[in-house]
Amino acid sequence: MLHLASRSPRRSELLARLGYAFGVLELDLPEHRQPGEPAEDYVRRVAREKAGAGLMQVMATAGAVVLGADTEVILDDDVFGKPRDARDAAAMLQRLSGRTHQVVSAVSVVSPAREAQAVSRSEVTFATLDPAAIDAYLSTGEWDGKAGAYGIQGHAQAFIEHLSGSYSGVMGLPLFETARLLKEFDILPGTRA
């Protein structure tokens, strides 16, 4: 059976869009970038650790396959994780304002016998945001729990001048890469592993 190692409702929604049957695993792993660790390596490592921790939970299940993912906003080699509070979210949005940043989304799929990983890289250009636009966005609460303090699927769409890459990857689970990986594990939409 396929398991999603994520509490993210966005990831569950995206995986369901592809038609897969899956269970959801609750994980609480620390996500800390190591000193000197390149940003993309960090994203890849976290996705792999989530999948591995999920597999440990379901190891006794025959045919268990676990999907773990991580998505981060990167600007000037700084990883913008989830903001601590509204003030932190405002600071992130001010830095992203009028600039192009990268969104890296890594997907790891593991079973007891093997593992595979894919990475989606997207570039997102924000319009210049004035303080009123940032305050209005913060009042929606959409920033909470989102890497880089924004969700592309919500009100922040109005900030995006240009997107080059994967919309679903920016949302949290790149669907093209995910479907390709699951096919490698012989998991097809509508079937259980």
Side-chain angles (χ1 to χ4, degrees), residues 23-64:
V24 176
L25 302 174
E26 298 273 333
L27 299 176
D28 190 19
L29 292 178
E31 296 181 25
H32 302 291
R33 188 175 175 193
Q34 303 299 320
E37 184 176 28
E40 185 172 312
D41 290 357
Y42 164 70
V43 179
R44 293 173 72 105
R45 177 177 58 80
V46 170
R48 195 168 33 254
E49 287 176 356
K50 288 178 182 178
L55 185 61
M56 295 305 290
Q57 286 185 19
V58 296
M59 197 67 132
T61 305

mmCIF file of all heavy atoms in Angstrom, residues 23-64:
data_model
loop_
_atom_site.group_PDB
_atom_site.id
_atom_site.type_symbol
_atom_site.label_atom_id
_atom_site.label_comp_id
_atom_site.label_asym_id
_atom_site.label_seq_id
_atom_site.Cartn_x
_atom_site.Cartn_y
_atom_site.Cartn_z
ATOM 1 N N GLY A 23 -2.618 5.965 2.253
ATOM 2 C CA GLY A 23 -2.822 6.310 3.646
ATOM 3 C C GLY A 23 -1.902 7.459 4.008
ATOM 4 O O GLY A 23 -0.913 7.725 3.311
ATOM 5 N N VAL A 24 -2.212 8.158 5.090
ATOM 6 C CA VAL A 24 -1.401 9.297 5.527
ATOM 7 C C VAL A 24 -0.725 8.946 6.845
ATOM 8 O O VAL A 24 -1.367 8.453 7.772
ATOM 9 C CB VAL A 24 -2.275 10.565 5.694
ATOM 10 C CG1 VAL A 24 -1.455 11.719 6.244
ATOM 11 C CG2 VAL A 24 -2.906 10.944 4.361
ATOM 12 N N LEU A 25 0.572 9.198 6.904
ATOM 13 C CA LEU A 25 1.359 8.948 8.110
ATOM 14 C C LEU A 25 1.670 10.272 8.801
ATOM 15 O O LEU A 25 2.078 11.230 8.149
ATOM 16 C CB LEU A 25 2.673 8.240 7.754
ATOM 17 C CG LEU A 25 2.540 6.911 7.029
ATOM 18 C CD1 LEU A 25 3.898 6.404 6.600
ATOM 19 C CD2 LEU A 25 1.831 5.894 7.911
ATOM 20 N N GLU A 26 1.487 10.309 10.095
ATOM 21 C CA GLU A 26 1.780 11.502 10.891
ATOM 22 C C GLU A 26 3.233 11.434 11.347
ATOM 23 O O GLU A 26 3.624 10.504 12.054
ATOM 24 C CB GLU A 26 0.861 11.561 12.112
ATOM 25 C CG GLU A 26 -0.608 11.661 11.760
ATOM 26 C CD GLU A 26 -1.068 13.087 11.546
ATOM 27 O OE1 GLU A 26 -0.459 14.002 12.129
ATOM 28 O OE2 GLU A 26 -2.039 13.279 10.806
ATOM 29 N N LEU A 27 4.026 12.394 10.939
ATOM 30 C CA LEU A 27 5.433 12.467 11.331
ATOM 31 C C LEU A 27 5.704 13.796 12.008
ATOM 32 O O LEU A 27 5.072 14.803 11.686
ATOM 33 C CB LEU A 27 6.349 12.356 10.108
ATOM 34 C CG LEU A 27 6.276 11.086 9.280
ATOM 35 C CD1 LEU A 27 7.191 11.216 8.075
ATOM 36 C CD2 LEU A 27 6.665 9.886 10.098
ATOM 37 N N ASP A 28 6.654 13.790 12.887
ATOM 38 C CA ASP A 28 7.093 15.036 13.515
ATOM 39 C C ASP A 28 8.614 15.023 13.539
ATOM 40 O O ASP A 28 9.236 14.710 14.556
ATOM 41 C CB ASP A 28 6.517 15.165 14.931
ATOM 42 C CG ASP A 28 6.746 16.560 15.510
ATOM 43 O OD1 ASP A 28 6.998 17.491 14.710
ATOM 44 O OD2 ASP A 28 6.689 16.705 16.736
ATOM 45 N N LEU A 29 9.210 15.314 12.383
ATOM 46 C CA LEU A 29 10.665 15.300 12.260
ATOM 47 C C LEU A 29 11.213 16.719 12.321
ATOM 48 O O LEU A 29 10.637 17.637 11.727
ATOM 49 C CB LEU A 29 11.082 14.698 10.919
ATOM 50 C CG LEU A 29 10.825 13.214 10.704
ATOM 51 C CD1 LEU A 29 11.246 12.813 9.300
ATOM 52 C CD2 LEU A 29 11.580 12.393 11.721
ATOM 53 N N PRO A 30 12.340 16.916 12.994
ATOM 54 C CA PRO A 30 12.962 18.236 12.972
ATOM 55 C C PRO A 30 13.513 18.526 11.573
ATOM 56 O O PRO A 30 14.042 17.627 10.918
ATOM 57 C CB PRO A 30 14.084 18.124 14.001
ATOM 58 C CG PRO A 30 14.367 16.664 14.119
ATOM 59 C CD PRO A 30 13.089 15.950 13.792
ATOM 60 N N GLU A 31 13.319 19.749 11.119
ATOM 61 C CA GLU A 31 13.825 20.148 9.804
ATOM 62 C C GLU A 31 14.798 21.300 10.015
ATOM 63 O O GLU A 31 14.393 22.451 10.112
ATOM 64 C CB GLU A 31 12.669 20.567 8.889
ATOM 65 C CG GLU A 31 11.711 19.433 8.580
ATOM 66 C CD GLU A 31 10.576 19.854 7.656
ATOM 67 O OE1 GLU A 31 10.745 20.817 6.883
ATOM 68 O OE2 GLU A 31 9.513 19.207 7.714
ATOM 69 N N HIS A 32 16.087 20.947 10.087
ATOM 70 C CA HIS A 32 17.118 21.956 10.317
ATOM 71 C C HIS A 32 18.225 21.791 9.290
ATOM 72 O O HIS A 32 18.754 20.691 9.125
ATOM 73 C CB HIS A 32 17.710 21.834 11.724
ATOM 74 C CG HIS A 32 16.694 21.957 12.819
ATOM 75 N ND1 HIS A 32 16.050 23.136 13.093
ATOM 76 C CD2 HIS A 32 16.201 21.039 13.677
ATOM 77 C CE1 HIS A 32 15.204 22.942 14.100
ATOM 78 N NE2 HIS A 32 15.267 21.679 14.465
ATOM 79 N N ARG A 33 18.558 22.877 8.641
ATOM 80 C CA ARG A 33 19.646 22.862 7.674
ATOM 81 C C ARG A 33 20.973 22.801 8.425
ATOM 82 O O ARG A 33 21.191 23.539 9.390
ATOM 83 C CB ARG A 33 19.561 24.128 6.824
ATOM 84 C CG ARG A 33 20.502 24.159 5.647
ATOM 85 C CD ARG A 33 20.235 25.399 4.823
ATOM 86 N NE ARG A 33 21.181 25.554 3.745
ATOM 87 C CZ ARG A 33 21.326 26.652 3.036
ATOM 88 N NH1 ARG A 33 20.549 27.706 3.296
ATOM 89 N NH2 ARG A 33 22.200 26.723 2.078
ATOM 90 N N GLN A 34 21.838 21.907 7.991
ATOM 91 C CA GLN A 34 23.145 21.753 8.621
ATOM 92 C C GLN A 34 24.075 22.888 8.181
ATOM 93 O O GLN A 34 23.953 23.399 7.064
ATOM 94 C CB GLN A 34 23.767 20.403 8.241
ATOM 95 C CG GLN A 34 22.908 19.204 8.604
ATOM 96 C CD GLN A 34 22.645 19.113 10.096
ATOM 97 O OE1 GLN A 34 23.520 19.356 10.910
ATOM 98 N NE2 GLN A 34 21.417 18.781 10.448
ATOM 99 N N PRO A 35 25.014 23.296 9.022
ATOM 100 C CA PRO A 35 25.963 24.350 8.626
ATOM 101 C C PRO A 35 26.701 23.949 7.347
ATOM 102 O O PRO A 35 27.212 22.829 7.242
ATOM 103 C CB PRO A 35 26.929 24.429 9.821
ATOM 104 C CG PRO A 35 26.151 23.877 10.977
ATOM 105 C CD PRO A 35 25.242 22.836 10.394
ATOM 106 N N GLY A 36 26.704 24.844 6.381
ATOM 107 C CA GLY A 36 27.397 24.608 5.123
ATOM 108 C C GLY A 36 26.663 23.702 4.149
ATOM 109 O O GLY A 36 27.153 23.450 3.044
ATOM 110 N N GLU A 37 25.494 23.206 4.526
ATOM 111 C CA GLU A 37 24.738 22.305 3.650
ATOM 112 C C GLU A 37 24.109 23.114 2.510
ATOM 113 O O GLU A 37 23.367 24.065 2.755
ATOM 114 C CB GLU A 37 23.644 21.594 4.458
ATOM 115 C CG GLU A 37 22.865 20.568 3.679
ATOM 116 C CD GLU A 37 21.851 19.826 4.553
ATOM 117 O OE1 GLU A 37 21.378 20.409 5.559
ATOM 118 O OE2 GLU A 37 21.544 18.675 4.234
ATOM 119 N N PRO A 38 24.373 22.753 1.256
ATOM 120 C CA PRO A 38 23.741 23.466 0.146
ATOM 121 C C PRO A 38 22.214 23.364 0.246
ATOM 122 O O PRO A 38 21.678 22.342 0.700
ATOM 123 C CB PRO A 38 24.266 22.739 -1.093
ATOM 124 C CG PRO A 38 25.567 22.139 -0.645
ATOM 125 C CD PRO A 38 25.339 21.746 0.796
ATOM 126 N N ALA A 39 21.540 24.415 -0.167
ATOM 127 C CA ALA A 39 20.088 24.495 -0.015
ATOM 128 C C ALA A 39 19.371 23.304 -0.644
ATOM 129 O O ALA A 39 18.501 22.689 -0.028
ATOM 130 C CB ALA A 39 19.570 25.809 -0.601
ATOM 131 N N GLU A 40 19.719 22.958 -1.884
ATOM 132 C CA GLU A 40 19.028 21.847 -2.539
ATOM 133 C C GLU A 40 19.331 20.518 -1.843
ATOM 134 O O GLU A 40 18.458 19.659 -1.727
ATOM 135 C CB GLU A 40 19.395 21.758 -4.009
ATOM 136 C CG GLU A 40 18.595 20.686 -4.721
ATOM 137 C CD GLU A 40 18.772 20.674 -6.223
ATOM 138 O OE1 GLU A 40 18.692 21.741 -6.851
ATOM 139 O OE2 GLU A 40 18.984 19.566 -6.757
ATOM 140 N N ASP A 41 20.555 20.341 -1.367
ATOM 141 C CA ASP A 41 20.889 19.115 -0.630
ATOM 142 C C ASP A 41 20.029 18.994 0.615
ATOM 143 O O ASP A 41 19.596 17.893 1.000
ATOM 144 C CB ASP A 41 22.366 19.101 -0.234
ATOM 145 C CG ASP A 41 23.291 18.917 -1.426
ATOM 146 O OD1 ASP A 41 22.802 18.736 -2.561
ATOM 147 O OD2 ASP A 41 24.522 18.969 -1.223
ATOM 148 N N TYR A 42 19.774 20.112 1.265
ATOM 149 C CA TYR A 42 18.921 20.125 2.457
ATOM 150 C C TYR A 42 17.507 19.638 2.114
ATOM 151 O O TYR A 42 16.948 18.778 2.791
ATOM 152 C CB TYR A 42 18.884 21.532 3.057
ATOM 153 C CG TYR A 42 17.768 21.758 4.041
ATOM 154 C CD1 TYR A 42 17.783 21.148 5.289
ATOM 155 C CD2 TYR A 42 16.695 22.578 3.718
ATOM 156 C CE1 TYR A 42 16.743 21.347 6.193
ATOM 157 C CE2 TYR A 42 15.664 22.788 4.615
ATOM 158 C CZ TYR A 42 15.687 22.166 5.853
ATOM 159 O OH TYR A 42 14.660 22.363 6.736
ATOM 160 N N VAL A 43 16.929 20.171 1.040
ATOM 161 C CA VAL A 43 15.575 19.799 0.633
ATOM 162 C C VAL A 43 15.522 18.306 0.303
ATOM 163 O O VAL A 43 14.602 17.587 0.726
ATOM 164 C CB VAL A 43 15.099 20.649 -0.559
ATOM 165 C CG1 VAL A 43 13.706 20.243 -1.009
ATOM 166 C CG2 VAL A 43 15.125 22.134 -0.212
ATOM 167 N N ARG A 44 16.523 17.824 -0.420
ATOM 168 C CA ARG A 44 16.581 16.404 -0.777
ATOM 169 C C ARG A 44 16.696 15.527 0.467
ATOM 170 O O ARG A 44 16.043 14.489 0.570
ATOM 171 C CB ARG A 44 17.759 16.153 -1.716
ATOM 172 C CG ARG A 44 17.588 16.804 -3.085
ATOM 173 C CD ARG A 44 18.858 16.670 -3.916
ATOM 174 N NE ARG A 44 19.037 15.304 -4.344
ATOM 175 C CZ ARG A 44 18.811 14.873 -5.582
ATOM 176 N NH1 ARG A 44 18.398 15.704 -6.506
ATOM 177 N NH2 ARG A 44 18.992 13.622 -5.888
ATOM 178 N N ARG A 45 17.540 15.945 1.412
ATOM 179 C CA ARG A 45 17.742 15.165 2.633
ATOM 180 C C ARG A 45 16.454 15.070 3.460
ATOM 181 O O ARG A 45 16.084 13.999 3.948
ATOM 182 C CB ARG A 45 18.860 15.775 3.485
ATOM 183 C CG ARG A 45 19.067 15.052 4.823
ATOM 184 C CD ARG A 45 20.232 15.623 5.616
ATOM 185 N NE ARG A 45 20.123 17.028 5.919
ATOM 186 C CZ ARG A 45 19.384 17.542 6.915
ATOM 187 N NH1 ARG A 45 18.645 16.757 7.692
ATOM 188 N NH2 ARG A 45 19.382 18.847 7.141
ATOM 189 N N VAL A 46 15.767 16.195 3.606
ATOM 190 C CA VAL A 46 14.538 16.197 4.401
ATOM 191 C C VAL A 46 13.485 15.283 3.772
ATOM 192 O O VAL A 46 12.820 14.513 4.469
ATOM 193 C CB VAL A 46 14.010 17.637 4.600
ATOM 194 C CG1 VAL A 46 12.616 17.630 5.203
ATOM 195 C CG2 VAL A 46 14.964 18.429 5.487
ATOM 196 N N ALA A 47 13.342 15.329 2.448
ATOM 197 C CA ALA A 47 12.376 14.447 1.775
ATOM 198 C C ALA A 47 12.731 12.982 2.018
ATOM 199 O O ALA A 47 11.863 12.154 2.313
ATOM 200 C CB ALA A 47 12.330 14.751 0.283
ATOM 201 N N ARG A 48 14.009 12.665 1.908
ATOM 202 C CA ARG A 48 14.465 11.290 2.122
ATOM 203 C C ARG A 48 14.239 10.855 3.576
ATOM 204 O O ARG A 48 13.812 9.736 3.841
ATOM 205 C CB ARG A 48 15.948 11.197 1.752
ATOM 206 C CG ARG A 48 16.473 9.799 1.577
ATOM 207 C CD ARG A 48 17.860 9.739 0.933
ATOM 208 N NE ARG A 48 18.738 10.836 1.252
ATOM 209 C CZ ARG A 48 19.061 11.847 0.422
ATOM 210 N NH1 ARG A 48 18.571 11.898 -0.791
ATOM 211 N NH2 ARG A 48 19.875 12.810 0.798
ATOM 212 N N GLU A 49 14.519 11.753 4.533
ATOM 213 C CA GLU A 49 14.318 11.424 5.945
ATOM 214 C C GLU A 49 12.838 11.201 6.266
ATOM 215 O O GLU A 49 12.495 10.302 7.040
ATOM 216 C CB GLU A 49 14.892 12.520 6.843
ATOM 217 C CG GLU A 49 16.409 12.522 6.868
ATOM 218 C CD GLU A 49 17.000 13.666 7.683
ATOM 219 O OE1 GLU A 49 16.252 14.542 8.186
ATOM 220 O OE2 GLU A 49 18.244 13.688 7.816
ATOM 221 N N LYS A 50 11.955 12.010 5.667
ATOM 222 C CA LYS A 50 10.515 11.816 5.890
ATOM 223 C C LYS A 50 10.071 10.457 5.371
ATOM 224 O O LYS A 50 9.342 9.721 6.049
ATOM 225 C CB LYS A 50 9.716 12.929 5.194
ATOM 226 C CG LYS A 50 9.821 14.285 5.855
ATOM 227 C CD LYS A 50 9.028 15.306 5.051
ATOM 228 C CE LYS A 50 9.126 16.696 5.635
ATOM 229 N NZ LYS A 50 8.388 17.686 4.817
ATOM 230 N N ALA A 51 10.502 10.120 4.162
ATOM 231 C CA ALA A 51 10.121 8.830 3.581
ATOM 232 C C ALA A 51 10.665 7.678 4.428
ATOM 233 O O ALA A 51 9.950 6.704 4.700
ATOM 234 C CB ALA A 51 10.619 8.732 2.145
ATOM 235 N N GLY A 52 11.916 7.793 4.858
ATOM 236 C CA GLY A 52 12.517 6.743 5.670
ATOM 237 C C GLY A 52 11.837 6.580 7.012
ATOM 238 O O GLY A 52 11.577 5.449 7.465
ATOM 239 N N ALA A 53 11.502 7.685 7.654
ATOM 240 C CA ALA A 53 10.803 7.621 8.943
ATOM 241 C C ALA A 53 9.408 7.034 8.758
ATOM 242 O O ALA A 53 8.938 6.250 9.591
ATOM 243 C CB ALA A 53 10.708 9.018 9.563
ATOM 244 N N GLY A 54 8.761 7.363 7.664
ATOM 245 C CA GLY A 54 7.444 6.794 7.374
ATOM 246 C C GLY A 54 7.536 5.294 7.146
ATOM 247 O O GLY A 54 6.693 4.532 7.633
ATOM 248 N N LEU A 55 8.571 4.870 6.431
ATOM 249 C CA LEU A 55 8.737 3.442 6.170
ATOM 250 C C LEU A 55 8.933 2.674 7.474
ATOM 251 O O LEU A 55 8.420 1.561 7.628
ATOM 252 C CB LEU A 55 9.918 3.201 5.223
ATOM 253 C CG LEU A 55 10.122 1.759 4.767
ATOM 254 C CD1 LEU A 55 8.901 1.241 4.003
ATOM 255 C CD2 LEU A 55 11.378 1.655 3.903
ATOM 256 N N MET A 56 9.629 3.260 8.427
ATOM 257 C CA MET A 56 9.820 2.598 9.725
ATOM 258 C C MET A 56 8.471 2.355 10.420
ATOM 259 O O MET A 56 8.311 1.373 11.130
ATOM 260 C CB MET A 56 10.743 3.427 10.623
ATOM 261 C CG MET A 56 12.159 3.553 10.092
ATOM 262 S SD MET A 56 12.962 1.971 9.767
ATOM 263 C CE MET A 56 13.190 1.388 11.427
ATOM 264 N N GLN A 57 7.512 3.246 10.190
ATOM 265 C CA GLN A 57 6.180 3.084 10.804
ATOM 266 C C GLN A 57 5.377 1.939 10.196
ATOM 267 O O GLN A 57 4.540 1.346 10.869
ATOM 268 C CB GLN A 57 5.358 4.372 10.665
ATOM 269 C CG GLN A 57 5.769 5.495 11.569
ATOM 270 C CD GLN A 57 4.811 6.681 11.443
ATOM 271 O OE1 GLN A 57 3.685 6.554 10.976
ATOM 272 N NE2 GLN A 57 5.271 7.842 11.878
ATOM 273 N N VAL A 58 5.608 1.670 8.918
ATOM 274 C CA VAL A 58 4.768 0.693 8.216
ATOM 275 C C VAL A 58 5.562 -0.512 7.713
ATOM 276 O O VAL A 58 5.085 -1.260 6.868
ATOM 277 C CB VAL A 58 4.015 1.362 7.030
ATOM 278 C CG1 VAL A 58 3.047 2.407 7.537
ATOM 279 C CG2 VAL A 58 4.992 1.934 6.024
ATOM 280 N N MET A 59 6.742 -0.709 8.246
ATOM 281 C CA MET A 59 7.633 -1.778 7.787
ATOM 282 C C MET A 59 6.963 -3.159 7.821
ATOM 283 O O MET A 59 7.224 -4.000 6.978
ATOM 284 C CB MET A 59 8.894 -1.791 8.641
ATOM 285 C CG MET A 59 10.013 -2.561 8.019
ATOM 286 S SD MET A 59 10.585 -1.739 6.529
ATOM 287 C CE MET A 59 12.316 -1.767 6.839
ATOM 288 N N ALA A 60 6.076 -3.362 8.778
ATOM 289 C CA ALA A 60 5.425 -4.671 8.904
ATOM 290 C C ALA A 60 4.328 -4.888 7.866
ATOM 291 O O ALA A 60 3.833 -6.003 7.696
ATOM 292 C CB ALA A 60 4.840 -4.818 10.308
ATOM 293 N N THR A 61 3.942 -3.837 7.146
ATOM 294 C CA THR A 61 2.888 -3.952 6.138
ATOM 295 C C THR A 61 3.480 -4.493 4.841
ATOM 296 O O THR A 61 4.416 -3.899 4.292
ATOM 297 C CB THR A 61 2.245 -2.570 5.877
ATOM 298 O OG1 THR A 61 1.797 -2.024 7.101
ATOM 299 C CG2 THR A 61 1.102 -2.673 4.897
ATOM 300 N N ALA A 62 2.954 -5.588 4.362
ATOM 301 C CA ALA A 62 3.447 -6.181 3.113
ATOM 302 C C ALA A 62 3.232 -5.207 1.960
ATOM 303 O O ALA A 62 2.159 -4.613 1.828
ATOM 304 C CB ALA A 62 2.722 -7.489 2.843
ATOM 305 N N GLY A 63 4.247 -5.048 1.146
ATOM 306 C CA GLY A 63 4.148 -4.194 -0.034
ATOM 307 C C GLY A 63 4.103 -2.704 0.266
ATOM 308 O O GLY A 63 3.684 -1.913 -0.578
ATOM 309 N N ALA A 64 4.555 -2.306 1.463
ATOM 310 C CA ALA A 64 4.508 -0.889 1.834
ATOM 311 C C ALA A 64 5.455 -0.055 0.965
ATOM 312 O O ALA A 64 6.605 -0.420 0.738
ATOM 313 C CB ALA A 64 4.877 -0.713 3.302
#
